[in-house]
Amino acid sequence: MASTPLLQVRNLTTQFGSGAGAFTAVNDITFDVNAGETVAIVGESGSGKSVTALSILRLVPTPPGHIVAGEVVFEGIDLLKLSDAEMRAVRGNRIAMIFQEPMTSLNPSLTIGLQIAEPVNLHKGMPWNMAYKKAKELLERVRMPDAQGRLNTNPHQFSGGMRQRIMIAMALACEPKLIIADEPTTALDVTVQAQILELLKELTHETGAALILITHDLGVVARYADRVCVMYGGKIVETADACDLYERPMHPYTRGLMASIPRLDQPAGVRLVPIIGQPPNLAQLPPGCAFNPRCSEAAERCRRDTPNLMKAGDGHSHACWMVPHG
Amino acid sequence: MGIHTLAGWYPMVDNIIEVEALKVHFPVRGGFLQREVGPVRAVDGVSFFVQEGETLGLVGESGCGKSTTGLAVLRMLPVTSGKITFEGIDITNFDQNEMRPIRRRMQMVYQDPFGSLDPRMSIGDIISEPLEIHRLHNNKADRRDRVTELLLMVGIRLDMIERYPHQLSGGQRQRVSIARALAVEPRLLICDEPVSALDVSIQAQVVNLFQELQEKLGLSTIFVAHDLAVVRHVSQRVAVMYLGTIVEIASRDELYASPKHPYTKALMAAIPVPNPVLEASRAHQTIDGEIPSAQRPPSGCRFHTRCIHVMPICSEIAPELRSEGNSSVACHLYS
């Protein structure tokens, strides 16, 4: 066993609402992120992948949401036990976040130079003039043309791709150990998506930062992730090394996803095999395994008992009663 | 030769629709006097045709003019110049009254199944409304039968007929949009990103539905989408657009097996394939920059500012679409 993981998420559970309308968005999930590695969390809308990210950073809007159980151990410290002030010293400093919508996560009335320099000034105590110099360097690192001239411009003057570069510069500002990117390229065109993801990969390699990449795109996962967690109905249903997962998907949901994506590496005439039914409503999850109403292999046990992740090989776990383990 | 449909008899033509040198420019006003400061050239000289029973995929990134082309073909946008021939009739200058009977035969499916269904109408009413508008079934019982038939065709349970759009999932709403479009037995369906708002597992259901309907009904379709992998599943021919022009148009197999235009190649390379082993061996060469403004498109070939094969001629002369084997390419490398 190598050194302890950078991030250990243990039995994390996040609920929204209260009383009859309450639902569990993230349900008892456990996973690790090692230093420098890229872990993808993949799932469809409502699978709990974004709430997982927000829970790690304690950014779940409270109320209605609250983390009800679990630990988020980062560099040996349980983030859930920190005071608000201590947590603020972690956010944007040791752990940075990149959101899907760069327009709504940048402040439209502040210059980008100020927005990039702010965390450096705040967390590292660097004087503003030095922090501005650092901001310029960061803009150069994300390949912003004319970085010096752009420091005094506002976010609306940039395209979506350029705004996402600004977000990456902000995320890198304090040299974080972990970056959480929530669908960072979903709003972008494919050629720009490729540029941004290549940039993110290059910079995380350079700085040795670990990356949690949250996405719905199994192609993006295949290109960039070392390990993958597949989420469904608020739970991780399968986790494995990326190559292993694509070669031997085990959980019926993972197999269903793989068969339902149109892909360029297959003959054109191939019919897609969709997963029947609809993604679950978190407020009305079926008893037992959340996937059972859509699963062709579901048996009585699946409708009664909820499976948890069970080991099924080297670094490969899945939560299915019907697929053999070990 | 002719064809009988609910809406009457129509002559058989080879090409359901022919579009020649279509231009759609939007005026932009600016400055103190709100003078016109030059148009946005959303679609700038596009030609294509769609044959009987064929699906043409129209792909490209945002701002390439693919949706505008779709709307212009339906004559829902004013055409700046060019010619649109539908079933042998020149409809370029038809007014709204003249278009009404034409629209019965060309229908549209939109991207957003939330915004395109009236939230205050039940599913049954949404699907029977076009039947009333086009006076196809004057009898209520007949309309009900037709709605039932359509719901079965798109795979919606009949007990949903009294429900409202907000009670349906995204995939179900998109099925309802398709049923509404098919209600009047159109010969041409224009679909604008019909599956891109859907989750992966649901997207596959709707893609398969499109394939089934094409086989069953022999529909001609213009399928507008940004996702090359989805387009490959539903189209017989594919046109790739960039900044208001078609840069390459070819049969599906030809385009995906041997893309010719540097932009088509770059698009293909940019799409990650869900296979880590294959991905590790693929070249991840990305093209630089972003799509330039359609208000001031680059001179010559519009892609020359981002092209890795750029030559001096590219910034001077705009290449024409030329046949090159089974495909047509607009690139100086092939002329």
Side-chain angles (χ1 to χ4, degrees):
Chain A
M1 188 63 205
S3 56
T4 42
L6 178 72
L7 177 78
Q8 295 167 291
V9 176
R10 294 284 172 271
N11 309 103
L12 180 68
T13 304
T14 304
Q15 288 183 344
F16 281 84
S18 58
F23 62 89
T24 308
V26 172
N27 190 354
D28 192 16
I29 66 164
T30 292
F31 68 97
D32 289 343
V33 179
N34 294 313
E37 81 173 338
T38 297
V39 175
I41 299 181
V42 45
E44 299 179 275
S45 42
S47 62
K49 54 192 195 301
S50 293
V51 178
T52 301
L54 295 176
S55 301
I56 292 170
L57 278 171
R58 287 179 45 193
L59 286 173
V60 176
T62 311
H66 41 110
I67 299 168
V68 292
E71 290 177 2
V72 178
V73 180
F74 174 73
E75 295 183 318
I77 299 162
D78 185 358
L79 299 181
L80 301 185
K81 295 211 174 76
L82 295 183
S83 69
D84 287 350
E86 287 168 325
M87 193 60 214
R88 277 199 298 275
V90 174
R91 270 187 225 122
N93 185 18
R94 310 293 294 159
I95 309 179
M97 177 112 188
I98 297 168
F99 294 93
Q100 173 177 351
E101 239 322 311
M103 197 56 216
T104 46
S105 34
L106 290 169
N107 187 330
S109 59
L110 299 180
T111 65
I112 62 160
L114 179 83
Q115 291 187 67
I116 301 169
E118 190 181 24
V120 188
N121 169 270
L122 193 71
H123 293 299
K124 304 291 182 206
M126 201 184 269
W128 278 105
N129 59 346
M130 300 278 285
Y132 265 96
K133 252 184 210 145
K134 172 96 178 163
K136 181 190 153 242
E137 282 165 31
L138 286 162
L139 281 179
E140 279 164 357
R141 278 183 88 178
V142 298
R143 308 224 183 82
M144 173 76 69
D146 183 26
Q148 181 68 49
R150 298 294 195 140
L151 284 175
N152 285 318
T153 51
N154 289 67
H156 73 268
Q157 292 166 281
F158 294 89
S159 66
M162 283 300 160
R163 282 182 210 144
Q164 207 54 299
R165 284 174 196 267
I166 296 167
M167 285 294 290
I168 294 173
M170 278 170 75
L172 292 171
C174 293
E175 289 154 25
K177 283 287 154 210
L178 175 66
I179 298 172
I180 303 176
D182 186 4
E183 303 265 15
T185 57
T186 307
L188 305 175
D189 278 317
V190 269
T191 53
V192 181
Q193 160 175 299
Q195 294 167 6
I196 296 292
L197 287 173
E198 288 298 322
L199 178 72
L200 203 52
K201 182 173 125 185
E202 204 182 294
L203 293 175
T204 47
H205 278 215
E206 263 175 44
T207 60
L211 178 66
I212 298 180
L213 181 64
I214 293 170
T215 178
H216 67 279
D217 187 331
L218 283 166
V220 168
V221 173
R223 190 178 281 190
Y224 297 103
D226 301 313
R227 272 187 320 116
V228 188
C229 299
V230 182
M231 285 192 76
Y232 188 83
K235 288 184 95 66
I236 294 177
V237 295
E238 184 161 4
T239 175
D241 286 341
C243 289
D244 199 25
L245 186 85
Y246 284 82
E247 210 169 287
R248 297 188 302 138
M250 289 182 170
H251 195 283
Y253 175 63
T254 317
R255 281 184 274 141
L257 267 189
M258 300 271 183
S260 61
I261 30 174
R263 46 203 294 173
L264 291 174
D265 61 335
Q266 267 178 348
V270 174
R271 264 285 157 103
L272 303 177
V273 187
I275 302 174
I276 54 158
Q278 310 294 332
N281 177 350
L282 287 172
Q284 294 161 338
L285 283 182
C289 170
F291 188 59
N292 86 67
R294 305 176 75 189
C295 183
S296 58
E297 295 158 52
E300 212 203 312
R301 189 177 187 190
C302 306
R303 290 183 270 273
R304 194 184 58 220
D305 303 329
T306 307
N308 279 317
L309 272 183
M310 292 165 278
K311 267 211 166 358
D314 195 17
H316 201 145
S317 305
H318 66 78
C320 178
W321 297 123
M322 306 313 290
V323 177
H325 293 87
Chain B
M1 279 285 281
I3 185 166
H4 282 282
T5 72
L6 209 104
W9 183 91
Y10 296 103
M12 284 286 267
V13 281
D14 291 341
N15 294 337
I16 289 280
I17 191 133
E18 287 175 27
V19 173
E20 287 166 57
L22 176 70
K23 289 189 182 183
V24 182
H25 294 180
F26 297 107
V28 177
R29 292 175 188 282
F32 175 63
L33 293 170
Q34 289 297 298
R35 285 210 176 96
E36 203 168 316
V37 291
V40 169
R41 299 160 189 273
V43 176
D44 209 18
V46 159
S47 303
F48 62 86
F49 60 87
V50 181
Q51 288 176 324
E52 180 80 50
E54 181 188 52
T55 297
L56 174 74
L58 218 51
V59 295
E61 298 180 281
S62 41
C64 72
K66 55 190 192 301
S67 296
T68 307
T69 304
L71 290 172
V73 165
L74 267 171
R75 291 292 330 283
M76 281 159 65
L77 284 175
V79 171
T80 307
S81 70
K83 188 176 171 195
I84 302 169
T85 313
F86 178 68
E87 292 182 319
I89 305 163
D90 181 353
I91 60 165
T92 322
N93 297 312
F94 272 25
D95 62 24
Q96 292 304 315
N97 278 332
E98 290 169 304
M99 272 312 285
R100 197 160 298 132
I102 302 285
R103 290 226 174 94
R104 181 195 298 162
R105 290 160 15 233
M106 40 161 67
Q107 285 283 312
M108 178 105 185
V109 176
Y110 295 91
Q111 169 174 6
D112 179 10
F114 299 82
S116 54
L117 300 178
D118 187 332
R120 287 170 299 186
M121 285 171 80
S122 71
I123 302 312
D125 289 343
I126 287 173
I127 298 174
S128 66
E129 191 182 32
L131 298 173
E132 289 167 47
I133 290 171
H134 293 290
R135 298 198 187 87
L136 295 181
H137 294 278
N138 291 320
N139 168 327
K140 215 172 175 182
D142 284 355
R143 278 206 297 267
R144 199 79 175 178
D145 287 349
R146 176 76 180 137
V147 170
T148 309
E149 187 189 352
L150 286 160
L151 286 177
L152 289 173
M153 201 189 281
V154 298
I156 294 273
R157 289 202 322 272
L158 294 181
D159 60 333
M160 300 239 180
I161 203 165
E162 296 297 334
R163 295 211 189 161
Y164 287 83
H166 74 269
Q167 295 169 298
L168 270 54
S169 68
Q172 289 168 332
R173 285 180 227 206
Q174 206 54 305
R175 287 172 192 268
V176 170
S177 308
I178 295 167
R180 176 180 60 184
L182 294 178
V184 293
E185 291 193 11
R187 291 185 72 198
L188 177 70
L189 199 60
I190 297 173
C191 306
D192 189 3
E193 300 270 14
V195 300
S196 50
L198 305 175
D199 267 321
V200 197
S201 66
I202 305 305
Q203 177 177 304
Q205 296 175 0
V206 179
V207 166
N208 282 3
L209 175 66
F210 270 112
Q211 281 179 304
E212 277 161 35
L213 292 173
Q214 281 164 13
E215 283 159 22
K216 221 184 300 180
L217 306 174
L219 274 178
S220 308
T221 314
I222 297 176
F223 196 96
V224 177
H226 71 281
D227 188 331
L228 275 165
V230 167
V231 166
R232 180 162 170 261
H233 269 269
V234 295
S235 313
Q236 278 87 49
R237 280 188 309 126
V238 180
V240 181
M241 290 189 70
Y242 185 79
L243 213 56
T245 59
I246 291 178
V247 296
E248 182 165 1
I249 183 164
S251 74
R252 172 188 66 190
D253 295 339
E254 180 73 19
L255 187 92
Y256 286 89
S258 54
K260 294 196 171 60
H261 196 283
Y263 179 63
T264 316
K265 287 182 185 170
L267 260 189
M268 300 259 190
I271 298 173
V273 172
N275 180 339
V277 183
L278 198 68
E279 273 300 329
S281 65
R282 270 177 104 199
H284 294 166
Q285 193 183 37
T286 57
I287 49 170
D288 290 335
E290 294 177 24
I291 298 182
S293 157
Q295 219 177 323
R296 290 176 301 278
S299 61
C301 171
R302 288 167 185 219
F303 187 58
H304 86 259
T305 52
R306 302 172 75 194
C307 184
I308 51 169
H309 301 293
V310 63
M311 303 178 287
I313 188 178
C314 300
S315 56
E316 285 158 22
I317 298 166
E320 306 247 322
L321 260 185
R322 276 168 202 272
S323 286
E324 172 75 27
N326 293 323
S327 59
S328 298
V329 197
C331 178
H332 290 301
L333 285 177
Y334 297 92
S335 56

